[in-house]
Amino acid sequence: MTRAFVFPGQGAQTIGMGKALAEAYPAAKSIFDEVDDALGEKLSTLIWEGDIDALTLTQNAQPALMATSLAALRALEAEGFSVADAAFVAGHSLGEYSALAAAGAISVADTARLLRTRGQAMQAAVPVGVGAMAALLGLDFATVQEVAAEAAAEGEVVQAANDNDPGQVVVSGHKAAVERACEIAKARGAKRAVLLPVSAPFHCALMEPAARVMAQALDDVEILAPCVPLIANVEAAAVTDPALIRSLLVKQVTGSVRWRESVAYMGAQGVTEIWEIGAGKALSGMVRRIDRDIACTAIGTPDDIAKLKA
């Protein structure tokens, strides 16, 4: 089977994630140690024993989810599975950084610091309560783009932010405009329109201040060619050039996450199996709704890895 490795984004975090991996695999434990050292704090203690509200803060959730994904990857490597054997890597939003670290393009320490900066910058870009995000269920991406255009009043932003799968598109922007988009979507036949419990409106033009911060942060980091091609969020196509990857990571802050197209691209390139590496199973569900011919496996615990070996 032609395999791709994919890495989850924000929302997958849970207290205790990755702990069993760290206890079972020294290589997994070393990832959490490396992230703790890079950030100068015991993020691992928050991940394993802390408060879910504190872990869910964007500045904590982003490096924490990356650490859990990389720990799962190191455990897989200890059992003889290698990302170098994959056809592609990809990640949903912050998961793109996990994918790049997995493929050796950015060091784990640099990735942790970049995600801490990214989380802080995204939170600071828009005052709490000014922005919002909502999942619109039952409408395709083109229709949601029309809904967003209709909902955007003068001076207010609302955009199609995440094209997750054929029946789920997330909009992001000013709170009032997002709420209007929900009502318009329902009138256009959406099954549901659900405001999301997020602290900022990610992947829209309101994140421009964060994009500027990330451009500066990324300029100071070495990016190498990944050992396997990355399917970039904003292009939904394979990239390997470090300069292009750097620029796309900046564009990703304000651009749409084209996940549906990314999975379709991988399927068209012959991918028949996707491994979701890290916390949760959200991406596996999306992949199944996009292409039923791609087999999905979520790998986030020692038990998951044991099943692969069986």
Side-chain angles (χ1 to χ4, degrees):
M1 300 179 90
T2 301
R3 183 179 300 146
F5 285 14
V6 303
F7 299 84
Q10 212 158 320
Q13 65 273 2
T14 57
I15 295 298
M17 63 182 184
K19 187 174 184 181
L21 288 167
E23 290 170 346
Y25 293 94
K29 173 68 162 56
S30 71
I31 289 291
F32 289 104
D33 292 341
E34 189 172 355
V35 170
D36 286 351
D37 289 346
L39 298 179
E41 65 183 71
K42 282 284 189 180
L43 184 65
S44 58
T45 301
L46 173 60
I47 297 169
W48 297 336
E49 304 166 14
D51 174 72
I52 187 61
D53 290 337
L55 181 61
T56 299
L57 289 173
T58 301
Q59 67 190 53
N60 293 328
Q62 295 200 22
L65 285 161
M66 181 278 296
T68 303
S69 286
L70 268 290
L73 183 71
R74 293 291 182 266
L76 280 170
E77 290 171 345
E79 297 292 357
F81 301 100
S82 172
V83 69
D85 297 329
F88 303 104
V89 292
H92 193 284
S93 191
L94 83 89
E96 189 156 275
Y97 285 80
S98 305
L100 286 165
I106 308 176
S107 73
V108 172
D110 280 341
T111 305
R113 287 188 286 262
L114 283 170
L115 286 174
R116 170 55 57 82
T117 299
R118 184 177 183 266
Q120 291 171 332
M122 291 171 93
Q123 186 62 65
V126 181
V128 173
V130 171
M133 298 180 77
L136 307 183
L137 308 182
L139 298 179
D140 63 22
F141 186 66
T143 303
V144 172
Q145 286 182 306
E146 294 171 4
V147 166
E150 187 178 338
E154 188 175 341
E156 287 188 332
V157 166
V158 59
Q159 294 171 229
N162 298 349
D163 183 10
N164 284 335
D165 63 47
Q168 184 194 112
V169 182
V170 174
V171 292
S172 180
H174 285 105
K175 190 169 188 286
V178 169
E179 288 170 344
R180 281 196 300 274
C182 289
E183 295 308 311
I184 294 167
K186 290 174 188 173
R188 295 284 292 264
K191 294 175 184 175
R192 291 177 68 200
V194 184
L195 285 170
L196 301 178
V198 295
S199 56
F202 307 129
H203 299 292
C204 75
L206 297 179
M207 288 288 110
E208 182 56 40
R212 292 195 293 271
V213 170
M214 289 312 296
Q216 207 163 18
L218 284 157
D219 274 347
D220 295 333
V221 168
E222 182 181 31
I223 299 179
L224 305 174
C227 66
V228 297
L230 169 78
I231 309 301
N233 281 187
V234 297
E235 294 220 330
V239 296
T240 56
D241 177 65
L244 178 57
I245 288 170
R246 195 186 305 272
S247 68
L248 292 177
L249 287 173
V250 176
K251 290 179 182 176
Q252 189 225 55
V253 178
T254 56
S256 296
V257 175
R258 297 168 61 185
W259 189 252
R260 175 183 57 83
E261 293 174 277
S262 295
V263 173
Y265 176 92
M266 289 188 276
Q269 300 300 311
V271 169
T272 53
E273 182 180 32
I274 282 179
W275 285 7
E276 180 176 4
I277 313 296
K281 300 179 180 180
L283 298 184
S284 296
M286 292 177 195
V287 170
R288 290 187 187 99
R289 291 187 289 273
I290 296 164
D291 189 340
R292 291 186 176 278
D293 290 332
I294 298 178
C296 300
T297 304
I299 302 163
T301 68
D303 286 347
D304 295 333
I305 295 172
K307 290 174 188 173
L308 295 176
K309 294 163 58 186

